Amino acid sequence: MCMGTSVLSLRIDGELLDRLRDHAAKRGMSVQDYVIRTLIRDDFDERFQSAVEETERFYGVT
């Protein structure tokens, strides 16, 4: 298991970035810290899988 670090670059909609900034500010965090904290939550894997399944049902599996 690799324990090094990597860089993740995202292109996101301005409206979504504003929402992330608001959520982060309410917690006194930077957007980067807020996103990382969200990704390392214990239930992230389950929530992500649920979102993928819902998207596949909506759009159909490609």
Side-chain angles (χ1 to χ4, degrees):
M1 182 171 160
C2 179
M3 296 301 288
T5 62
S6 299
V7 174
L8 173 65
S9 177
L10 299 172
R11 182 181 308 259
I12 61 174
D13 178 80
E15 186 176 318
L16 176 57
L17 181 57
D18 289 342
R19 290 174 50 206
L20 286 171
R21 284 184 181 131
D22 289 343
H23 286 287
K26 289 176 185 174
R27 290 158 181 82
M29 304 169 78
S30 69
V31 171
Q32 292 85 351
D33 288 341
Y34 177 77
V35 169
I36 294 301
R37 171 103 17 135
T38 301
L39 291 173
I40 62 174
R41 283 181 45 180
D42 289 339
D43 65 343
F44 175 78
D45 290 335
E46 294 84 15
R47 294 172 67 218
F48 182 74
Q49 183 61 40
S50 176
V52 168
E53 290 169 358
E54 185 175 332
T55 300
E56 287 175 347
R57 281 192 300 273
F58 184 78
Y59 290 106
V61 178
T62 58

